[in-house]
Amino acid sequence: MRPVLVAHNNPDDFRDLLAERFPDVEFVYATTTPGIADALARHDPEVAFSIKHPGFPAAGHASIPAHPSVRWVQIGGSGFDHLLPWDATRVTVTNGAGVLAPYLAESVTGAMLALGCGFPRYAEQQRARQWRPVAFTPLRDRTLLVVGFGRIGECVARNAKALGMRVLAVRGTPAPHPAADEMHGPAALRALLPRADFVSLHVRLNPATRGMLSREVLAAMKPGAYLVNTSRGAVVDEAALTDALRSGHIAGAYLDVFETEPLPPESPLWSMPNVLITPHSADNIHGWPRRFAALFADNLARWRAGEPLLNEVTP
C-alpha cells in the first residue's frame, strides 16, 4: 500500500507501536503544517492519521481530507469540526471517541467535587493564611444535567450516580439509559435547566450547538448552579457567562474550552475566584497519543482486510 501519513508533532510517542504492528508499511511523519503539505504532495497517501492538539493546531490538519488521494482519515480525539467540510463520497473519517472518555469524566467529576466542596475558596484562604471553615453542600442528592450523552457524557453520568447524584440527560435520540434517571431530547434543555445543580456540556460544535447556551438560556439555569464545559468554547456565550458568574446567578464554573484559545490574558475569567480553568486539557493524561495510535492500528488492520472501520463519523 502507499505510505501512510501520520500528522503528529512527536512521532516518538508511538512510532515503535506502528512499526511493530505493520513492519511492511511505510509511515511518513509530518510534524508541522508545512510538513503535512509536503507529505501530501510527495506521497499522495490514501490513509492518514491526524492528531490535533494545542501543540499542533487544527489549521494544519484541515487540508488532509481535501487532498485528492486521501480515502480515509483517522483523527485523535472525538471532535471533527476542524476537518469540515469533507467529501463523504470520497473520504471516510473515523475518530477516537471513547478512548479518553473515562479520563475526561474524571476531570469533570473532580471539578464538580472541587466546586461543590468549596475548594477554590479554601485555596484562596490558604494563600492568605486564613483559618476559616466554610460549610458546603455535598454532591449527594444533588442533580446533574448532562447535555450530550455520548461516551463521555455516559461516563460522567455513571460517576455522578456513584456519588449519589440524580442524573438528567439530553441527547439527540432520547432512549432510556441505565446511567440516567431521565433522558430527554434537545428541545427539553431549557425546561430542565431550572432543576439542575450542575450542568455539564458534552456536545459537538455544529450549527445547532454553536451559541446553544445563550444569555437567555443561561438565565434559565437554577440560581446558584454550576456550569462545566469540556466540549467546545463556542457552545456558550462567554460574555453572558462572565456576567452570570459575576452576578452570582451561576455560582461557579469549570471551563476547559473557550471561544478564543489560548484564553486571552485580559479575559476576566482568569481572575474570578469561582472559576476553575484548564487549558483545553481535561483529558491530557500521560501517554494519550499512544492510546489513539492503538485504535488507529486496529482500524488500519481492518482497512487492509476490507473490514468495517470503528468510529466512523459523518459530516
Side-chain angles (χ1 to χ4, degrees):
M1 63 182 297
R2 294 180 185 176
V4 172
L5 170 62
V6 179
H8 181 53
N9 64 325
N10 191 3
D12 288 340
D13 285 340
F14 48 73
R15 190 197 304 267
D16 60 322
L17 184 156
L18 295 181
E20 183 176 343
R21 284 285 302 271
F22 305 99
D24 59 330
V25 174
E26 180 184 358
F27 294 95
V28 176
Y29 290 87
T31 60
T32 63
T33 297
I36 290 178
D38 180 67
L40 288 170
R42 293 180 60 189
H43 299 284
D44 283 331
E46 288 186 347
V47 173
F49 176 35
S50 162
I51 302 182
K52 171 190 74 72
H53 62 95
F56 200 166
H61 301 256
S63 64
I64 296 174
H67 191 76
S69 69
V70 174
R71 295 294 179 267
W72 165 43
V73 182
Q74 169 82 45
I75 58 176
S78 58
F80 52 82
D81 49 282
H82 63 291
L83 296 185
L84 291 170
W86 68 80
D87 181 0
T89 64
R90 178 179 60 82
V91 181
T92 298
V93 175
T94 55
N95 69 4
V99 173
L100 300 182
Y103 314 110
L104 193 151
E106 284 188 27
S107 293
V108 171
T109 307
M112 291 197 301
L113 286 165
L115 291 167
C117 294
F119 288 167
R121 180 180 296 183
Y122 279 127
E124 194 174 8
Q125 290 181 186
Q126 179 180 338
R127 289 189 291 270
R129 300 175 184 265
Q130 295 176 343
W131 185 272
R132 186 182 303 159
V134 179
F136 66 90
T137 303
L139 296 189
R140 180 170 294 276
D141 298 324
R142 301 184 87 182
T143 298
L144 167 66
L145 172 58
V146 178
V147 183
F149 204 81
R151 298 187 193 183
I152 296 170
E154 179 184 340
C155 289
V156 169
R158 291 189 184 280
N159 289 357
K161 294 290 286 181
L163 290 169
M165 300 185 78
R166 178 175 178 80
V167 176
L168 313 177
V170 170
R171 70 174 174 185
T173 52
H177 192 284
D181 295 287
E182 298 179 24
M183 186 70 73
H184 299 268
L189 173 62
R190 192 171 300 205
L192 294 170
L193 287 172
R195 299 172 55 191
D197 300 294
F198 286 82
V199 178
S200 191
L201 306 179
H202 304 285
V203 295
R204 301 193 190 286
L205 181 61
N206 56 42
T209 62
R210 184 177 293 275
M212 180 177 67
L213 264 68
S214 63
R215 187 173 296 273
E216 293 73 23
V217 174
L218 290 169
M221 286 180 62
K222 182 178 183 178
Y226 296 89
L227 179 67
V228 174
N229 188 10
T230 57
S231 58
R232 287 292 186 268
V235 170
V236 181
D237 181 334
E238 199 166 286
L241 172 60
T242 301
D243 290 343
L245 288 162
R246 279 198 184 111
S247 71
H249 177 71
I250 295 178
Y254 167 49
L255 305 174
D256 185 55
V257 291
F258 303 89
E259 289 180 346
T260 299
E261 296 183 6
L263 182 64
E266 63 272 17
S267 171
L269 292 169
W270 284 112
S271 57
M272 288 188 166
N274 55 345
V275 176
L276 296 174
I277 289 175
T278 51
H280 205 145
S281 57
D283 57 1
N284 189 26
I285 63 168
H286 291 292
W288 62 267
R290 196 172 185 89
R291 293 176 185 266
F292 286 136
L295 175 61
F296 169 62
D298 290 343
N299 256 350
L300 183 57
R302 288 171 172 266
W303 174 266
R304 300 183 78 190
E307 298 173 355
L309 299 177
L310 302 172
N311 287 9
E312 184 173 345
V313 298
T314 55

